Each structure stands twice: as C-alpha cells, then as structure tokens.
Amino acid sequence: MLLIDKYAYINKLASVHPLEKMTFSLGLLLLSLILRDELISLITFIVMSAFIILGAKIPWQYYAKLLLLPAFFLLSSLLSIVISIVPNTTVLPPYLWAIPISHWTIFIGNDSFLTAQQLLFTVVGSISCLYFLILTTSVQAICYVLRQWRLPALFVELVELTYRFIFIFLNSMQKIHLAQQARLGYQSPMQWLRSISMLIAALFAEMFQRSRELNNAMQARGGEAVYWQNNKSYSKKNWFGIVAIFTCLILLGGFYV
C-alpha cells in the first residue's frame, strides 16, 4: 500500500463525511480556476495546506514531496510561456529581459510573465485542493459520493478498478525489479535495457492475468460490485465552516477584481 493511500484511511479527518470533504476541496478548486486571482489561489493553498498538515496530521515532509511531483511539468510549462524567441528584425513588445543571439532575440515579455505568474498560483492552489481530497478521503468514499451524485455506474466502477490496479501494478513492478536487482540485472547499459524490456513484458502479462481473475470473481457474484457503506454523519459545524470560507473568498475576489 502506498503512503498516499494509507494516509487516506488513518488521517485525523478520516471520520469526516466524504461529501463534506469533496464539497470543500472541489468547491475551492473550481473557485480558484474561475477567479484566476493570485491572492485567492495563494489563500486557497495556505488554507488547504493548513488542513492537510494541522487538521489531517499529514507529515509536512511527505506533503512537500508530493508538491514536488508536478514541479517538472509546471516548470516546463512556465518556461515555454515566459521565454519567447523572435528574429532580430521583429519589434519587441514591452519586456523585462532580452538578449540577442546571432539572428535571434530571446526575451521575457511583460504579458507572458504575468500569464505565467497567474498560472503558477492557480496550479499550486488547485494541486493543494486535490491533495487534500486524496490524502483525507479513501477512493471507496469518493466513489460513494460519486454514486450519490448520480454519475454513471460504469464510470464510477472504472474509476475504482483503475485506482486499485495502480497498486497491483506497482506492487508487481517492485517485486520483479527487486528480483532482477538480486540477479545483477542492471550492472551495464545492455543489461539494464534487457531487464527493463523483460519487466514491461512481465507486467503486461500479469495485468492481463489479474484482470481475468477479477472478471471471474465479479461474474461469480453475479456481476455485482461490493460498495463502500457510509456510516458517517453530517456535521453542521463543518458545513457552516465551508460556507464561511467560500463566502469570504468570493467577497475577497470580488473586492479585488
């Protein structure tokens, strides 16, 4: 079991009704995406991080590692937005920095910098919302809420099965990789390439076998899946806090807009 799945079951907010947590996290996510305001996104990140670290008692070191996971994709996106390359004959728009190289000019425009800054704050705020949801709510509880929202049953079952197969996939990969390392399968570039190809082939074969076994097990039960049963109750205090936070952010966003 991955730590991210373990914390979803043992965190201090695990007893809170999943509908409250999903409404809170997805509501702030949509608010951050709609308003696209740096201050609102920053406040969203601070609030969500406080709930994750102080409320759910998730270790801050682990949360920091999770925040670094999308850093490469975010950095590459920001660089592609900020940095522009044009011929030397082109009239540059207002810019913060520029340098001519041969027949080209590399520069950072004011508009592109502001766009990248807005994207950075929006993405960071949105990521914190998603991390709050997956670190405090199990996938069974999430699927329970999706069923309550009357989403198609096939879609919900695919979400749950795909999530479960991720752990089966990772567990099998770790075992095969450990066995290959014990046989010195990664000592040279050629051995590394051969071991990786064998690892991928073995994983595909095992995934097909596991999916066949899962299909047989579901057919033995008449095709019915075992759903998570809700034994949690709503809290008026939590709903009041959610409404209060939403109201403050909406008023703050409207004031600065």
Side-chain angles (χ1 to χ4, degrees):
M1 177 184 288
L2 293 177
L3 275 178
I4 197 170
D5 195 49
K6 178 181 178 181
Y7 285 133
Y9 288 94
I10 66 173
N11 70 90
K12 297 299 182 180
L13 297 179
S15 60
V16 178
H17 197 284
L19 180 59
E20 297 172 356
K21 291 182 286 188
M22 288 189 66
T23 302
F24 181 51
S25 59
L26 298 182
L28 285 183
L29 172 62
L30 291 176
L31 191 64
S32 180
L33 293 176
I34 292 173
L35 294 179
R36 299 182 65 86
D37 181 80
E38 290 87 349
L39 179 60
I40 299 300
S41 299
L42 180 60
I43 294 175
T44 300
F45 173 75
I46 294 174
V47 170
M48 283 302 184
S49 300
F51 274 103
I52 292 172
I53 298 174
L54 303 179
K57 302 298 181 183
I58 304 297
W60 69 268
Q61 299 92 335
Y62 183 70
Y63 178 56
K65 290 180 181 179
L66 290 179
L67 291 176
L68 292 176
L69 289 178
F72 171 77
F73 302 99
L74 178 59
L75 180 62
S76 59
S77 301
L78 293 178
L79 289 178
S80 63
I81 294 174
V82 171
I83 299 177
S84 302
I85 302 176
V86 296
N88 282 340
T89 56
T90 304
V91 178
L92 297 181
Y95 61 89
L96 298 174
W97 173 85
I99 179 173
I101 298 178
S102 184
H103 300 291
W104 302 90
T105 299
I106 302 175
F107 72 98
I108 298 177
N110 292 341
D111 293 338
S112 60
F113 180 80
L114 293 177
T115 301
Q117 177 180 310
Q118 184 184 66
L119 176 64
L120 173 63
F121 281 94
T122 303
V123 169
V124 169
S126 302
I127 289 175
S128 64
C129 295
L130 294 178
Y131 278 153
F132 170 81
L133 179 61
I134 63 178
L135 285 171
T136 61
T137 314
S138 65
V139 67
Q140 289 87 356
I142 293 175
C143 290
Y144 166 80
V145 176
L146 295 180
R147 293 187 187 95
Q148 297 300 307
W149 288 347
R150 299 295 187 270
L151 267 70
L154 178 61
F155 171 78
V156 179
E157 290 180 5
L158 285 175
V159 169
E160 191 166 8
L161 292 176
T162 302
Y163 186 81
R164 282 302 155 204
F165 264 99
I166 291 175
F167 295 97
I168 297 175
F169 186 85
L170 290 176
N171 185 46
S172 300
M173 183 184 68
Q174 290 173 353
K175 290 181 179 179
I176 297 173
H177 186 264
L178 182 61
Q180 289 177 334
Q181 283 185 322
R183 298 187 182 94
L184 304 178
Y186 296 92
Q187 292 300 305
S188 66
M190 290 303 298
Q191 287 179 330
W192 182 89
L193 184 61
R194 181 171 178 269
S195 297
I196 287 295
S197 60
M198 293 176 63
L199 173 62
I200 295 174
L203 284 176
F204 271 108
E206 183 164 354
M207 288 302 103
F208 280 117
Q209 179 64 26
R210 292 293 186 95
S211 62
R212 188 179 299 111
E213 293 174 355
L214 178 61
N215 181 62
N216 293 337
M218 294 185 66
Q219 286 184 347
R221 294 196 297 264
E224 293 294 332
V226 178
Y227 295 142
W228 180 80
Q229 299 296 323
N230 176 38
N231 56 0
K232 299 177 176 63
S233 58
Y234 296 109
S235 171
K236 293 182 179 180
K237 181 177 67 174
N238 292 342
W239 283 111
F240 177 79
I242 293 172
V243 172
I245 292 176
F246 284 169
T247 303
C248 291
L249 288 179
I250 291 174
L251 292 176
L252 184 63
F255 176 76
Y256 279 97
V257 170

